[in-house]
Amino acid sequence: MSAVRVRMAPSPTGYFHVGSARTALFNWLFARQQGGQFVLRIEDTDLARNRADATAGIERAMTWLGLDWDEGPYFQSERAQLYEAAIGRLLSKGLLYACDCTSQQVAERNQAAGRPPGYDGFCRERGLEPSPGRALRFRTPHQGRTSWADVVRGEVSYDNASIEDFAVRKSNGQALFILANVVDDADMGITHVIRGEDHVPNTPKHILLWDALGLGPHPVFAHLPLLVNAARKKLSKRRDKVALEDYRDEGYLPEAMFNYLALLGWSPGGDREILSREQLVSEFRLDQVKSSPAFFDEQKLAALNAEYLRALSPSDFTARASEWLASRWSPIAPFVQERARTLSEVYSMVDFLFLPEVRTDPAEWAKVRRQHPAFVALLEAASAGYEQCEWEPASIRQATQEAGAAVGVSALAKAQAPVRLAVTGRTVGPPLFESLHLLGRSRALARLAAARERALREDAASAASPPA
RNA sequence: GCCCCCAUCGUCUAGUGGCCGAGGACACCGCCCUUUCAAGGCGGAGGCACGGGUUCGAACCCCGUUGGGGGUGCCA
């Protein structure tokens, strides 16, 4: 009886997707309940899209959720020799062949022949020598079927003839995910591969490679249902709010998120929904996970979060809320410290970070408008610059300076005043560029637009009824 | 196009052949409580995609249809 070993294998894309969080959670629950190990492995075979700071983000997010790992993180980028050894073995068995087709050539041949997309096996019998500049492809068998008993979906089966000769090594010599994944799962003794449904089509390839490498019995596969948006499409970074840290920043409690995620695709049965971490560990059943996609419903998450909030003692609630509040403004705390004479003044210097819309003193508004004839033009120029620039204090400063110059305001100080009023509602406060940075681009732009409209409305009104 | 998968209220789900005249939760509506708003209590509307089988009996099993999704990269 071998102990359960599962793994979470994210690619370092710069943020931790809620779908990844759910996958990580189910792996973690299964490992903890079975008394097994949970391994963290970073799938960074594609150096081109690797982000140096991404791993830290993944670790931070998992730690926030309370998912601790027993081993790792391992990095595929440091394990290339292992993949090379596996490639050597496959090569010696004649299971790999070199290919110098470009994807464009493949596409053109397919189109010309009226074939569906996918590699056409052009080099399969050409006998090309493996060499730099040539990719290596797996010689997929043309007969037979590849199937497995998926823990959540039951028997899944593919006709081998429908599986293309997929690449395992790029022409630049780098091993591909599909190969690295199999080699690592074997090397790390992974017993259960629990991952998203989007990996189902990869699974027959994994099994084929696994067997070709003679790695013994393959792991048990469990493909979790996808998390979808309101349109029932896979959650994606472009369309949807998918970064776990965004939910954290908006004040969701990790224990509520933990509980909610556990309910996506699984249920304890009966009427219960609020379950502690311990209850989830003991009651979770991998083989009861549903196979249909689940909508990530923030409204329901919020309701659950509210229940967790109410369940806190008043002192715990105060502590958690204070901690969150502090985390929101602490990046500019040193600047506030220099300017505040009393603690009570701190509030008026940071309130713009918390208010949904700025509150502007009418007298200050009037004063700034009087002193800055180019008010509207400046806001417009600043908005245009802010949309383009990198969202860092130095770049924001430069964009502001350029916006000022564009409307004939050469002094940076003069260019700042209208922006500050629009964005913070005040004429004094912590340094503007740090404040903007912390506020975030979208909120900053929205406030600039609101102030501009207000000014235009006033101008229109005064033009309609000129003062006597 | 081809391959694979999925299908219970708007949403997350309970349901594994009789306990289902289908239960809970979120959202929605109404009432109560209440100085307000929440919270809480009570009630309401709302679903087994469709068609064939199998069976004494089907939300549950089988087949088909329809609808939806995933994949189809020298990405992961």
Side-chain angles (χ1 to χ4, degrees), chain A residues 2 23 38 82 93 104 113 145 156 162 208 231-232 265 272 296 327 371 384 412 444 461-463 465:
Chain A
S2 59
T23 301
F38 178 45
L82 239 47
K93 289 190 194 175
Q104 194 183 354
R145 299 189 72 81
V156 183
S162 73
L208 252 16
R232 304 214 70 83
R272 292 175 314 141
F296 185 88
S327 75
Q371 291 178 344
L412 184 59
S462 66
S465 56

Side-chain angles (χ1 to χ4, degrees), chain A residues 110-176:
Chain A
N110 284 337
Q111 190 152 27
R115 274 192 308 257
Y119 187 64
D120 58 355
F122 186 78
C123 296
R124 186 172 168 117
E125 308 302 342
R126 281 176 74 202
L128 254 29
E129 279 303 309
S131 72
R134 286 175 182 166
L136 250 27
R137 291 183 178 277
F138 184 72
R139 197 181 293 278
T140 305
H142 286 167
Q143 280 85 39
R145 299 189 72 81
T146 298
S147 349
W148 72 95
D150 198 285
V151 179
V152 340
R153 336 187 79 81
E155 192 77 9
V156 183
S157 179
Y158 280 80
D159 186 345
N160 290 340
S162 73
I163 303 169
E164 63 175 337
D165 286 352
F166 54 93
V168 298
R169 191 174 75 183
K170 296 196 214 182
S171 53
N172 69 7
Q174 203 168 82
L176 281 152

Side-chain angles (χ1 to χ4, degrees), chain A residues 11-23:
Chain A
S11 62
T13 48
Y15 61 100
F16 200 55
H17 194 288
V18 289
S20 300
R22 201 274 309 260
T23 301

Side-chain angles (χ1 to χ4, degrees), chain A residues 283-335:
Chain A
E283 294 187 36
F284 177 72
R285 291 293 175 270
L286 188 59
D287 59 4
Q288 280 172 9
V289 170
K290 304 242 312 174
S291 46
S292 48
F295 171 50
F296 185 88
D297 185 358
E298 191 176 354
Q299 222 166 23
K300 177 111 186 193
L301 204 214
L304 200 64
N305 199 61
E307 280 211 54
Y308 272 87
L309 244 21
R310 272 180 245 117
L312 257 21
S313 70
S315 64
D316 282 347
F317 173 73
T318 307
R320 304 278 302 256
S322 301
E323 195 185 332
W324 182 85
L325 254 13
S327 75
R328 304 300 292 169
W329 70 275
S330 64
I332 55 168
F335 303 115

